Amino acid sequence: MPKAINPSRRRLLLLAGAALGSGALGGIAHFAHADSDGDDSDKHFEDSANTSFTLASTGLVARVVVVGGGMAGATAAKYLRLWGGSGLQVTLVEPNARYTSNIMSNLVLNGSRNIATLGYTYDSLAAKYGVTVKAARVTAIDSAARSLSLSDGSSLAYDRLILAPGVEFSDAYGLTQADYATRTPHAWQAGAQTTLLASQLAAMQDGTFVMTIPKAPYRCPPGPYERACLVADYLKTYRGAGSRVVVLDENATIQAERETFTHAFGVTHAGVISYEAGVTGITIDPLTRRVSYLDAVGAPRTIDAQVVSPIPPHRASGSAAGGWLAAAGLNNSADGRWCVVDVLSYQSTAVAGIHVIGDAASCGMPKAGHVANQEAKICADAIIRLLAGQQPDPAPVANSACYSPITATTASWLTAVYQYDSAGRKMVLAANGGNPVGATAIEAASVSNSNFRQMGTWFNTLMGDSFG
Ligand SMILES: Cc1cc2nc3c(=O)[nH]c(=O)nc-3n(C[C@H](O)[C@H](O)[C@H](O)COP(=O)(O)OP(=O)(O)OC[C@H]3O[C@@H](n4cnc5c(N)ncnc54)[C@H](O)[C@@H]3O)c2cc1C
């Protein structure tokens, strides 16, 4: 039988639970169980596994709209309901019925995974947590009226707004969006382009696969190097000795897991991968697949490739000139590509009442799915506290883990903890062993089969936490 709990006491319990869980995957497990111990409630949801829990009644009443049902937005919508309770009316606006995970999508290229295994629906968010899912795209924000315009012609009012729209890709290297879609896929947003790139790779004979990496910051720092390794592994396993992977990096060095990838390029895939850092002036002919560029010392080079996968520069979705995010003045980084946020709440530093999380935000942490999940929890916790008349957690902590397959059966990993630096008002790498100077992310000591197996557990846990 439900037992009565004084609403203000409940709210304190709830906010304490939110604080504990905000930085960690799985923190919610304790919280959900605490709820099911018999708190009173307005709403009761059951999941398909026949477990059930009760959403708390916290006394908080507000309309929160979340835009974008990717890693960041799905997590935020779920945790707002779990921690904020049934009085929070949470609407998730997302045009697609199904989300395709970018994480693990490089494994589609070598045939290890089918793209269909990377699909996630919003059914759990709706059925288990009572999130209202609106199938539409946001086309405009009226921040003064606190209202959104949607692609179906309707409008949606909010008290607090979270934007998690991910990234959009620039026309670059002489290529257009149509070239990316049909000839030279970047496949940096998993889906049709991933399948296209996989089929181009499968059709390759002995020849050269060229890929490019844009200047940081970009989505998933280790991801391009992981792609190079998997394509090289595939070509040397299934094609002739003449196959090559050329990696043209616009950065001066490898951007993540430097030791791991230096070893992978120079030893594991020696003779197959050719890595060139500091290249400039890339141009790509989408019809002939001729790639021209200047090498690190400015010498002109040309490669005739069989397959080209350029990862073009990207920016927060909607931040191009005339875009819906730009029109609201939210893309306030110096280069106009990202949304600068206060990392205690993820509230935009440009527009009050609007929070930005995930890859679209500029917050000092890498653009990664695991990090997006963490930002979502910090943001959800902060919004609940603000609605309750409190201040955001003054010392948030976030963790990040990332596994990188190096071959079809082995993987490496990278992990880091970030903490709030009140002097710089930003998230910084936490000190390892108490020494804040030179704190770094930690790489796996070696590449192994067991890392590859653990990668599956990590992935399923992360996706379950975000969408389940
Ligand atoms: C090949 C590859 C491998 C990766 N591997 C890893 C990894 O191993 N580990 C890791 O942590 N990260 C990895 N990442 C990075 C990770 O996928 C991203 O950092 C993460 O998806 C960012 O989440 P997000 O919610 O910001 O954006 P997304 O997940 O892209 O979601 C954005 C959502 O917003 C929606 N949207 C856009 N515009 C609108 C609009 N106007 N209205 C409504 N909705 C809108 C989109 O439809 C989309 O569903 C990888 C990325 C790639 C490309």
Side-chain angles (χ1 to χ4, degrees), residues 67-73 93-96 99 102-103 105-106 122 136-138 164-166 188-189 219-220 226-227 317 324 357-359 367-370 372 401-403 458:
V67 176
M71 298 300 299
V93 183
E94 163 62 52
N96 303 310
Y99 175 74
N102 300 307
I103 306 178
S105 66
N106 279 331
Y122 302 101
R137 179 172 286 279
V138 167
W188 218 240
Q189 180 75 54
R219 162 175 279 183
C220 192
E226 164 189 299
R227 173 172 290 178
S317 267
W324 60 276
I357 55 175
D359 287 358
K367 299 190 183 300
H370 193 127
C402 191
Y403 283 82
W458 162 78

Side-chain angles (χ1 to χ4, degrees), residues 103 116 175 180 188 194 198 205 306 339 374 425:
I103 306 178
L175 303 173
Y180 301 143
W188 218 240
T194 313
Q205 304 304 314
Q306 270 192 21
C339 304
Q374 300 283 285
R425 298 176 61 84

Side-chain angles (χ1 to χ4, degrees), residues 8 48 134 171 188 209 291-292 332 342 344 374 436 463 467:
S8 58
S48 55
K134 175 85 181 158
D171 290 354
W188 218 240
F209 179 105
V291 181
S292 307
N332 60 335
D342 170 352
L344 292 184
Q374 300 283 285
M463 300 314 281
F467 291 88

Side-chain angles (χ1 to χ4, degrees), residues 33 103 115:
H33 289 149
I103 306 178
I115 193 100

